Amino acid sequence: MATKKSPAKKKVATKVVKKAPAKKAVKKVSTKKVVAKKAVKKVVKKIVSKKPAAKKAIKKVVAKKPAAKKPAPKKAAKKSPKAVAPKKLKVDQYGLEEDDEFYGLYFAKSTNKGLVEVKPCTFSLMYWWKGLLGYPDMIEISKDSNTAMLQFESTFGGGDSGETELTEKDVFDVDHIIEVDEQEQLVSLYSYVPIPVPEKLIGALGLSILNINPETRYGSLEICSTDNEEGANEHFLRYRAATYLRGVKSGKVEAIESMVTNGSEFFGLALDAMCVNKSIKKWLLS
């Protein structure tokens, strides 16, 4: 406001110069300018005095802004996941969910004692043995169908690379047992050398097992002791591997096949490594 009034006063000063002497006109103009400056100072003082009030008003507004209702959208976000909760899958009589390959399956086997129920793990073993390999059914199933067992034999032959202890001419039989535990959904493979271990070889064989097991990537070797028909204690060398089918919704048959295939390979490698000891090799080929 002060800057707008000062040019108007200059125009008045020019008119006074025409009617009166230049000196008086200058004096009058100078006095008016002083007044004008005072007015400006007063106005400035008033404006300055009002600025702090404006700042206080701004502070009050800023203080009120955080009071806005911000938690509302957060509550809405928390409720959204509950609405998208996945549906629970149906479960059959064996505890298999509806997306399992054998969900709702019921199979029975005809035996001399009547029909016996075949549960999922046993059915997987049966499918591999009969369906894929084409062998006759030799699986024994318990009355409650919670356990099953398959026994068979195979022939082991050494390698022909010239770098192995056992050559292709070194052939001997191996007994196999596959056990099924339906409650644990566990399938176990046991491969035996059917010749009892002589007492004099127990120490050397045990030491060999301790050296080989850490290098065996699948399964393990062990000495199994049992009583024979005459009541005498005998020791046998066996290889053990196992696979859990719990949680395997697709590929149960393939899991059993992989266990037997890998087990046979690693057992063969272990037997060859043992035959570094000539006494053990002689015993295996006896």
Side-chain angles (χ1 to χ4, degrees), residues 233-244:
N233 190 255
E234 292 181 329
H235 309 286
F236 291 91
L237 172 65
R238 75 177 182 183
Y239 169 85
R240 182 181 185 276
T243 182
Y244 274 101

Side-chain angles (χ1 to χ4, degrees), residues 70-83:
K70 289 183 179 179
K74 290 183 180 178
K75 289 181 180 178
K78 288 181 181 178
K79 291 181 180 178
S80 57
K82 293 181 181 179

